[in-house]
Every structure is written in structure tokens, then in C-alpha cells.
Amino acid sequence: VCSSDLGMGAGLYRDNQVFRSCVEECADLLQSHHSLDIRPVLYSQAGSLEDRVRALAQTRVAQAAIFVTEYALANLWMSWGVLPDVMIGHSIGEYVAACLAGVFSLADGLALVAKRGSLMQSTADGCMLLENRIRNGSSAQRLSHSTCCDFKGTLPSKSLGLVSRLRATSSVAAA
């Protein structure tokens, strides 16, 4: 199951007031500040399935939808008395956990996720995003000290040499 499936949380959205209220609050903030309404993509039966799938395949929409669903689900659990002592998350879940922990407001969390999704979506397929935190030496000489390596889409052949060198100089496993 994909983390951003069409209809994720649809039953809860339809049947549970706490979940629906959280989704509505998030969706209203996203729509008013970022011109993005995820409700039609996730919950509407209007429009073609192909159009809804295409919309959810956009990184900016998928990441917002994941955040909203996780946030609403966490609030639902808390309304049932399941209160966390600590929180962790992965990827967008880290933003949800930080928001729920009071590190930043819901509006700020949604703004961060919306901007992150837009930036990630703006990268061309095949681009390699490589963040180096190197104090000495060039990145070409010190690829093994990269702190982040993420691939989006299919890599063009000219990037394969860099990937091979990265794998040879670090513990990055072939996918």
C-alpha cells in the first residue's frame, strides 16, 4: 500500500467528527495560504479516477495529504485518550510529530510541508540531490562524507558514474 493512496482516511473522514474537523482545519489552511485543497483529491468521487491519481502523484499534493491524514489520525487517537509521552516520525511524520509536540504551529507545519513538497516537485526527474556537510576537501574528493543522498525518478546515464563512485566510497547499498 502506498503511503499516499486515494481515499486514505475516507471512512474516518466520513464517520468521525474529530478526524473530519482536523482534516477541514488543515485543508482550509492549505487552501487559503497555499492554494491547495486536498479534499477533492482524497475524498471526492467527482472527476475521473485518472485525474485524481495524477493529482495525488504530485509531490506537493501527496506530502500535504500525508501530513493532514497523519495529523488527523494522531488527534483522533488523542481524543480517545491515547496520549503520547514522546513522538517520533519518518519524513513527513517528523513534521507531524514536531507540530503535535508544539515545536511549531499547525499553520507553520503545513507551510513547511507545502514548501518542501513544492521544492521537491520542482526538481527534474533524474536529478540527484546531494547534501554535503564537509569542512575540508572538495565534495568530489569526499563523497563518502555526504549526509544525505536522495534520488528522484530515473537517473540519466551521465549521473551513473557519480552514483557508482558514491557507492564505492561509502556504505550506500544498491537499490
Side-chain angles (χ1 to χ4, degrees), residues 25-45:
E25 180 182 11
C26 291
D28 289 344
L29 285 166
L30 283 168
Q31 187 171 21
S32 65
H33 298 293
H34 307 287
S35 302
L36 173 62
D37 188 359
I38 61 154
R39 293 168 287 207
V41 176
L42 286 177
Y43 307 125
S44 175
Q45 298 302 314

Side-chain angles (χ1 to χ4, degrees), residues 72-104:
L73 190 57
N75 276 280
L76 177 59
W77 278 90
M78 290 187 290
S79 78
W80 291 338
V82 181
L83 304 175
D85 289 326
V86 296
M87 289 181 259
I88 61 171
H90 170 72
S91 189
I92 294 300
E94 293 169 311
Y95 292 88
V96 176
C99 180
L100 291 169
V103 173
F104 45 72

Side-chain angles (χ1 to χ4, degrees), residues 10-155:
L12 289 170
Y13 181 78
R14 181 186 63 242
D15 299 334
N16 188 283
Q17 181 59 40
V18 171
F19 187 90
R20 184 174 42 261
S21 292
C22 288
V23 169
E24 292 295 322
E25 180 182 11
C26 291
D28 289 344
L29 285 166
L30 283 168
Q31 187 171 21
S32 65
H33 298 293
H34 307 287
S35 302
L36 173 62
D37 188 359
I38 61 154
R39 293 168 287 207
V41 176
L42 286 177
Y43 307 125
S44 175
Q45 298 302 314
S48 75
L49 178 61
E50 184 178 296
D51 287 344
R52 291 173 45 228
V53 168
R54 190 177 308 112
L56 195 56
Q58 295 179 50
T59 304
R60 69 183 286 270
V61 176
Q63 291 192 353
I66 292 167
F67 181 96
V68 170
T69 302
E70 289 181 358
Y71 179 82
L73 190 57
N75 276 280
L76 177 59
W77 278 90
M78 290 187 290
S79 78
W80 291 338
V82 181
L83 304 175
D85 289 326
V86 296
M87 289 181 259
I88 61 171
H90 170 72
S91 189
I92 294 300
E94 293 169 311
Y95 292 88
V96 176
C99 180
L100 291 169
V103 173
F104 45 72
S105 69
L106 176 59
D108 289 343
L110 288 166
L112 287 167
V113 168
K115 185 63 172 177
R116 179 184 192 260
S118 292
L119 288 170
M120 290 179 72
Q121 185 171 322
S122 71
T123 61
D125 283 345
C127 286
M128 183 170 109
L129 305 174
L130 182 61
E131 179 184 332
N132 290 303
R133 299 204 188 268
I134 300 169
R135 297 180 197 268
N136 299 312
S138 71
S139 59
Q141 295 169 332
R142 305 290 302 271
L143 279 174
S144 62
H145 290 86
S146 300
T147 58
C148 174
C149 185
D150 186 16
F151 303 101
K152 178 180 181 263
T154 304
L155 289 173

